[in-house]
Amino acid sequence: QQQQQQQQQQQQRQTQPAVQTTHQAGHTQPAGSQRNLAAQRAPGRPTAGKHMPDGFGSTHAAARNYVEQATAAQVQSPPAAAPVPEAGTITNSLQIIISRLKASNLRPSQQRQIISIDAGVDILIKSLNSGQLQDRDVVQALVSLCASFDSDDFNSAARQTAGMVRNYWKEHKDWLKGFKYLSTLCKTHFAN
């Protein structure tokens, strides 16, 4: 639609005769001059503030153009991806295990690791809920890891985390770093 409007405006400019305009001192200027260039681009739209009935000058026209462009951009934007169906299960499981860790007796260095764990889990949850993480292998590995956390099988969780780090580090290191700490702390505090 915007391209059609631009083509129509271009055709109008091509069909308009090269009219000469007269300015204050009686000098004539061809229609393609700098002063008339803005008027030719937007026929029927005044470009100077004193000519605008609302007193806003070219700001009003600029705002209208901005709104038109923003509306066109919204129409052309792709639809958002759907959240991963397992996002709720993964989120709940991780929140429970992190709460258990926070309630345990942690040393100061381990408390700092909790900050990294929280950051990694936040990134992961946002990725799952926004639909950015669509790799089914990664999602299934996360479901399996959470099942290990839920059943207090922390040795298995540590092995699964190591496998995820080995296989998916390059693409997902922003949240996997926190998971490495999570598995280590769980194994240290909860494994028999």
Side-chain angles (χ1 to χ4, degrees), residues 8 16 31 34 45 47 53 58 77 100 153 155 161 165 190-191:
Q8 289 173 353
Q16 290 177 350
Q34 287 290 47
R45 288 187 183 172
T47 58
S58 61
S77 63
R100 284 179 61 191
D153 187 0
N155 290 324
T161 301
V165 167
F190 302 129

Side-chain angles (χ1 to χ4, degrees), residues 7 20 29 36 47 50 69 87 90 115 118 124 137-138 143 149 159 173:
Q7 288 174 353
Q20 300 242 339
Q29 210 167 4
N36 273 340
T47 58
K50 62 184 178 183
Q69 290 172 358
I90 294 169
I115 294 169
D118 282 337
L124 173 66
D137 293 335
V138 175
V143 169
F149 284 138
R159 283 191 303 276
K173 63 183 166 193

